[in-house]
């Protein structure tokens, strides 16, 4: 008997006292198909304007910085200004995301070197587009793929993330509904990253230090329109 | 249960040594100061916290009652997304499985995110014996790997160490760096580890992470972290191995979300950790990064035997560490004294299940039954009740020392004869009060040396409770 068979045989033997295998199967399938939400905290069940404000407050509470821009067109200026403010080289890398690739990088930020693709170990700053922001904890949602390669979220020391105000929502459950609508039932992108503030560790005497292995800084750009 | 390296049978000697270890005692002062206040703050900010605990308990009970079918659903989704699932009954099988995957990739070095299950199976030793170098990348795990130690806490593996000890370890190990560099501050130590480990991520052939949850709905594994090391570990190498156990499963993404609302708050006191990562299968056709192969190794190691037993509730545990942080015994002796992988109250229940009560019988006794562990458990696991079950089994199997058996026997004899019991306790209370005299305290008492060696025993102040109760009743 294989290990798999042995494990399942023991489980079925122990679980038989509770209900039949057929009943178990039907109950489990129904729960998965229904994917009903459990209790949702009241905190984020507020109007959209208040959700955006809560998102900003929560992100700033965990040491992310937040800038709100009127439109995508101003992103290159903001990236340039941010890099200058932190004395970083004028260079940024992003994926093939249409909202980022379509920007007038050359016209608005002529001194900036823009490269594309997954992160290179020498990159100091990266730019991603989040599919959503979750107000309840100031959490960004990024999905993997050529548009926004996952390594951009972790390898460079400075991560700039653009999110549309319209994509900021109350809870994690809202995000799962969006992902099911995009990818289909029971489907997920290879990686979904929930990012809440920059990298940190408390492993030395339980005191928090930022920038353990992932980005030291997380800068969020919210696009109003 | 063949590869058990445990010092749990020597808990008493371990604890005595820990109490006398000045460095350890200094480091342990960080536990109540940090974790307890932060957890309370996070809990207070979420009015639904206790209601979420009820839901989390119920949904995990439901999952365990349907565990076979949820595991099958999960497995089918992993395979459908291009991943592989490996089932293992024992630690040895799990180690062999991981090593075989590493060998298939000609792996020389393997990076590892934090995983208590890999500690449980002693994976690092097995890999080294097979000529593969494991590199721990979580800062705490990296530090203890340098020292050749095991984690002393399930979420803060190096909590038993002070900054100056870590500085000394870094100076002794990172000898290629200038000897006169500044390394006194926590930030400097974090930076140095960051620089050293960066190249390791890039060089690694395989990355191993644990899993906080496995989602049956989508075949997804979830890791909950703060440093970002787990993400670098799993996204840069050619293969990603997830090391998990059968009880990590949750039905849906919504169910995972409910428990995620509890995990960070209850563990580190964070509303949400920096990184919560959902991984489903290997890199897709158009993905520019991510692993080419995705393997999930699912270990049993005695857990199926807990289903339907007095200890099934323990399988709800999400490894937040709060029961360790709030335990007066853990706070006093630290994690290593417990002698195996899982310390504190959750370890005192789990360890006898996994390595046997004959090995770990002391652990369920290392509790004052103050009940704080159950009070703070996000999954409402009745830890004291289960420790009591273990004490009963230890007693039934004649594993407890003869003095304990004799003492319990004598107490039982008296307790079954209330009149005699009240007479004897009444006399004893009066005698002790007389003996203590004006101070009201006893500095020494035959049979209570273990207590009076470190503190005085308060003497009874008057008649027994029963006598007083009788008098007060109208």
């Amino acid at each position: 008997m294989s290990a798999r068979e042995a494990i399942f045989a023991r489980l079925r033997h122990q679980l038989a006292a509770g209900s039949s295998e057929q009943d178990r199967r039907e109950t489990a399938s129904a729960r998965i198909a229904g994917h009903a939400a459990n209790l949702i905290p009241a905190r984020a069940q507020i109007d959209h304007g208040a959700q955006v404000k809560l998102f900003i407050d929560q992100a700033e509470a965990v040491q992310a910085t937040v800038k709100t821009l009127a439109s995508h067109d101003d992103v290159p200026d903001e990236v340039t200004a941010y890099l200058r403010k932190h004395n970083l080289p004028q260079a940024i890398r992003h994926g093939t995301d249409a909202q980022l690739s379509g920007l007038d990088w050359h016209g608005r930020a002529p001194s900036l070197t823009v490269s594309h693709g997954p992160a290179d170990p020498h990159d100091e700053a990266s730019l991603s587009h989040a599919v959503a922001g979750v107000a309840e904890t100031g959490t960004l949602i990024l999905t993997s793929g050529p548009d926004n390669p996952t390594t951009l979220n972790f390898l460079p020391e400075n991560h700039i993330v653009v999110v549309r105000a319209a994509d900021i929502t109350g809870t994690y459950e809202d995000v799962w509904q969006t992902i099911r609508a995009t990818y289909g039932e029971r489907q997920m992108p290879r990686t979904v990253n929930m990012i809440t503030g920059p990298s940190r560790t408390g492993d030395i005497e339980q005191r928090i230090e930022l920038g353990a292995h992932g980005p030291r800084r997380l800068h969020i750009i919210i696009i109003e329109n | 249960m063949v590869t058990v390296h445990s010092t749990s049978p020597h808990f008493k000697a371990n604890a005595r040594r820990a109490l006398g270890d000045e460095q350890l005692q200094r480091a342990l002062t960080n536990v109540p100061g940090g974790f307890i206040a932060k957890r309370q703050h996070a809990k207070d900010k979420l009015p639904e916290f206790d209601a979420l605990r009820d839901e989390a308990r119920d949904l995990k009970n439901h999952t365990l009652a349907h565990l076979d079918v949820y595991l099958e659903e999960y497995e089918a989704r992993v395979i459908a997304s291009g991943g592989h699932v490996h089932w293992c009954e024992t630690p040895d099988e799990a180690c062999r499985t991981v090593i075989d995957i590493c060998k298939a990739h000609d792996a020389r070095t393997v990076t590892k995110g934090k995983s208590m299950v890999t500690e449980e199976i002693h994976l690092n030793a097995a890999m080294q014996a097979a000529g593969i170098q494991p590199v721990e990348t979580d800062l705490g795990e990296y530090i203890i790997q340098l020292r050749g130690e095991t984690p002393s806490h399930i979420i803060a593996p190096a909590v038993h160490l002070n900054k100056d000890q870590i500085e000394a370890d870094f100076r002794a190990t990172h000898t290629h760096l200038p000897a006169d560099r500044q390394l006194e501050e926590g930030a400097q130590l974090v930076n140095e580890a960051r620089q050293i480990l960066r190249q390791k991520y890039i060089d690694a052939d395989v990355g191993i992470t644990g899993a906080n949850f496995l989602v049956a709905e989508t075949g997804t594994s979830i890791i909950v972290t703060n440093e970002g090391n787990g993400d670098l570990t799993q996204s840069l190498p050619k293969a990603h191995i997830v090391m998990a156990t059968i009880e990590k499963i949750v039905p849906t993404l919504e169910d995972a979300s409910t428990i995620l609302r509890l995990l960070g708050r209850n563990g580190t006191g964070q509303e949400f950790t920096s990184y919560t990562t959902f991984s489903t299968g290997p890199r897709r056709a158009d993905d520019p990064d991510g692993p080419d192969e995705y393997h999930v190794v699912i270990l049993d190691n005695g857990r199926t035997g807990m289903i339907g037993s007095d200890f099934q509730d323990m399988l709800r545990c999400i490894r937040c560490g709060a029961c360790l942080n709030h335990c007066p015994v853990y706070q006093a002796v630290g994690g290593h004294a417990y002698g195996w992988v899982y310390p504190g109250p959750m370890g005192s229940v789990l360890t006898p299940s996994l390595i046997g009560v004959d090995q770990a019988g002391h652990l369920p006794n290392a509790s004052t039954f103050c009940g704080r562990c159950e009070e703070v458990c996000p999954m409402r696991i009745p830890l004291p009740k289960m420790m009591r079950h273990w004490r009963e089994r230890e007693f039934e199997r004649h594993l407890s020392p003869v003095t304990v058996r004799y003492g319990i026997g004598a107490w039982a004899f008296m307790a079954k004869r209330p009149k005699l019991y009240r007479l004897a306790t009444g006399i004893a209370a009066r005698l002790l009060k007389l003996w203590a005299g004006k101070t009201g305290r006893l500095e020494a008492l035959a049979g209570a040396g273990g207590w009076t060696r470190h503190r005085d025993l308060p003497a009874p102040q008057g008649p027994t409770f029963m006598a007083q109760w009788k008098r007060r009743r109208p």
Side-chain angles (χ1 to χ4, degrees):
Chain A
M1 191 159 36
S2 72
R4 185 186 186 283
E5 285 164 348
I7 289 169
F8 278 93
R10 276 200 299 278
L11 279 176
R12 294 209 162 106
H13 177 74
Q14 307 283 33
L15 294 172
S19 56
S20 75
E21 192 180 326
Q22 186 57 32
D23 284 351
R24 286 202 300 280
R25 207 167 286 288
E26 282 166 16
T27 311
S29 300
R31 189 177 181 110
I32 289 173
H35 47 70
N38 303 306
L39 173 69
I40 307 270
R43 175 192 286 185
Q45 298 185 45
I46 46 181
D47 70 57
H48 186 252
Q51 284 176 342
V52 173
K53 186 179 177 313
L54 178 62
F55 173 81
I56 295 171
D57 290 346
Q58 291 288 70
E60 287 178 344
V62 290
Q63 291 81 35
T65 51
V66 183
K67 175 85 177 181
T68 304
L69 299 180
S71 91
H72 274 102
D73 298 342
D74 301 329
V75 168
D77 308 67
E78 174 59 19
V79 168
T80 306
Y82 184 81
L83 295 175
R84 191 176 306 122
K85 182 179 161 194
H86 292 287
N87 264 328
L88 293 163
Q90 287 289 323
I92 194 96
R93 186 186 295 273
H94 65 78
T96 59
D97 192 285
Q99 300 204 33
L100 304 177
S101 300
L103 297 169
D104 181 15
W105 289 103
H106 191 70
R108 301 289 290 257
S111 60
L112 189 69
T113 307
V114 182
S115 36
H116 302 96
D120 178 276
H122 303 290
D123 292 342
E124 296 216 40
S126 57
L127 179 67
S128 306
H129 170 218
V131 296
V134 179
E136 65 172 306
T137 45
T139 299
L140 293 162
I141 309 291
L142 292 104
T143 51
S144 59
D147 294 1
N148 292 283
T150 302
T151 46
L152 294 180
N153 305 345
F154 296 99
L155 210 45
E157 292 204 1
N158 304 274
H159 191 204
I160 305 175
V161 182
V162 175
V163 62
R164 298 189 318 140
D167 293 330
I168 292 175
T169 173
T171 64
Y172 317 123
E173 284 80 354
D174 297 333
V175 174
W176 303 134
Q177 290 299 44
T178 309
I179 286 195
R180 287 188 191 107
T182 311
Y183 294 85
E185 289 287 318
R186 306 197 71 173
Q187 305 286 336
M188 287 275 270
R190 148 69 199 162
T191 313
V192 176
N193 291 119
M194 289 188 169
I195 299 182
T196 313
S199 158
R200 67 197 61 214
T201 181
D203 273 347
I204 298 176
E205 297 188 348
Q206 311 313 300
R207 266 180 278 268
I208 302 301
E209 300 288 349
L210 297 183
H213 297 279
R216 273 175 216 285
R217 298 192 191 97
L218 174 68
H219 186 56
I220 303 172
I221 301 175
I222 298 177
I223 309 295
E224 277 184 326
N225 293 309
Chain B
M1 299 191 188
V2 273
T3 50
V4 172
H5 313 277
S6 141
T7 67
S8 302
H10 315 296
F11 176 79
K12 285 186 177 180
N14 293 348
R16 204 170 301 127
R17 206 175 314 119
L19 287 168
D21 182 336
E22 274 178 42
Q23 284 272 26
L24 174 65
Q25 291 301 320
R26 187 152 63 88
L28 285 174
T29 60
N30 294 322
V31 173
F35 289 118
I36 292 179
K38 286 181 196 167
R39 173 189 177 272
Q40 189 62 44
H41 184 65
K43 179 179 187 288
D44 291 345
K45 276 169 68 180
L46 189 70
E48 295 90 349
F49 192 83
D50 283 335
L52 284 167
R53 291 169 71 191
D54 293 337
E55 283 207 331
R57 172 199 59 207
D58 294 348
L59 88 82
K60 202 69 194 186
N61 281 346
H62 162 86
T63 311
L64 292 171
H66 301 78
L67 190 55
D68 56 338
V69 287
Y70 280 124
L71 283 168
E72 279 183 343
E73 294 274 0
Y74 167 79
E75 180 187 42
R77 291 316 302 163
V78 175
I79 294 168
S81 61
H84 305 269
V85 180
H86 310 264
W87 301 90
C88 300
E89 290 191 84
T90 64
D92 287 348
E93 269 178 48
C95 287
R96 265 203 311 278
T97 304
V98 171
I99 289 166
D100 286 348
I101 299 167
C102 293
K103 286 197 166 156
H105 290 271
D106 292 322
R108 318 259 339 135
T109 68
V110 170
T111 41
K112 283 184 69 201
K114 185 164 167 35
S115 153
M116 289 308 293
V117 179
T118 65
E119 300 286 343
E120 181 180 326
I121 64 173
H122 299 280
L123 179 62
N124 286 3
M127 287 175 71
Q128 275 165 325
I132 302 161
Q133 182 55 42
V135 180
E136 295 287 353
T137 61
D138 172 86
L139 180 60
E141 293 280 350
Y142 175 71
I143 292 165
I144 60 168
Q145 188 182 28
L146 291 184
R147 299 172 62 88
E149 290 180 337
T150 54
S152 67
H153 190 293
I154 59 175
I155 67 163
V159 74
H160 59 287
L161 297 172
N162 297 296
K163 218 161 49 177
D164 49 338
Q165 293 170 288
I166 300 166
E167 180 189 348
D169 293 328
F170 278 19
R171 288 196 188 280
T173 313
H174 307 155
T175 48
H176 63 289
L177 295 172
D180 60 351
R181 68 193 186 281
Q182 291 278 306
L183 209 53
E184 291 79 34
E185 297 301 323
Q188 293 162 342
L189 293 165
V190 172
N191 265 338
E192 183 159 312
R194 180 188 175 103
Q195 296 314 326
I196 300 269
L197 284 167
R198 238 176 137 65
Q199 196 57 42
K200 308 273 187 193
Y201 295 119
I202 295 158
D203 295 341
D205 305 294
V206 174
I208 301 174
T209 67
N212 292 85
F213 307 100
L214 307 173
V215 185
E217 178 190 355
T218 50
T220 299
S221 57
I222 303 177
I223 57 169
V224 177
T225 70
N226 272 309
E227 297 185 359
N229 65 304
D231 290 281
L232 291 167
T233 295
Q234 69 173 56
S235 57
L236 294 173
K238 294 189 290 266
H240 174 198
I241 303 175
V242 179
M243 187 69 227
T245 47
I246 57 167
E247 82 282 16
K248 301 281 182 190
I249 206 108
V250 292
T252 64
L253 294 165
E254 277 73 4
D255 293 328
S257 304
T258 296
I259 304 182
L260 284 169
R261 286 196 177 94
L262 293 167
L263 179 54
R265 289 182 172 94
N266 214 66
T268 54
Q270 291 172 279
E271 294 222 291
F272 219 55
T273 60
S274 299
Y275 305 117
T276 301
T277 299
F278 298 69
S279 306
T280 313
R283 138 188 339 216
R284 308 279 161 86
D286 56 352
D287 277 350
D289 53 15
D292 295 327
E293 284 183 24
Y294 174 78
H295 297 266
V296 187
V297 179
I298 302 182
L299 173 72
D300 177 358
N301 198 24
R303 287 165 174 82
T304 44
M306 293 166 71
I307 298 281
S309 80
D310 287 342
F311 304 99
Q312 173 168 326
D313 289 345
M314 192 59 218
L315 296 175
R316 291 203 301 266
C317 177
I318 55 171
R319 309 287 191 267
C320 71
C323 61
L324 284 63
N325 302 334
H326 290 75
C327 175
V329 177
Y330 181 91
Q331 286 171 11
V333 300
H336 286 153
Y338 291 81
W340 201 58
V341 181
Y342 302 104
M346 57 79 66
S348 296
V349 174
L350 191 59
T351 307
S353 296
L354 300 185
I355 68 173
V357 69
D358 51 329
Q359 282 275 318
H362 280 308
L363 304 185
N365 291 300
S367 165
T368 64
F369 279 1
C370 72
R372 291 198 77 189
C373 48
E374 182 173 358
E375 214 174 280
V376 300
C377 177
M379 306 304 286
R380 298 201 186 278
I381 300 170
L383 291 157
K385 185 177 95 183
M386 287 190 289
M387 282 187 251
R388 210 166 52 237
H389 286 320
W390 279 126
R391 290 187 189 185
E392 284 158 14
R393 291 193 187 192
E394 191 194 16
F395 191 82
E396 281 160 15
R397 289 181 53 187
H398 297 266
L399 294 167
S400 5
V402 70
T403 47
V404 172
R405 303 188 65 79
Y406 187 77
I408 291 175
W411 181 83
F413 178 85
M414 298 289 285
K416 279 184 233 160
R417 294 162 179 82
K419 277 189 186 157
L420 184 61
Y421 187 92
R422 279 173 216 160
L423 180 71
T425 50
I427 293 170
R430 256 169 272 152
L431 277 179
L432 287 171
K433 190 183 178 208
L434 262 179
W435 191 8
K438 275 192 197 137
T439 61
R441 311 183 76 78
L442 295 157
E443 283 174 28
L445 181 69
W451 176 284
T452 55
R453 197 176 306 128
H454 301 287
R455 51 222 181 287
D456 291 348
L457 182 72
Q461 293 303 302
T464 62
F465 173 82
M466 292 300 280
Q468 291 191 49
W469 181 249
K470 211 171 178 182
R471 207 175 306 147
R472 280 182 197 208
R473 271 201 338 209

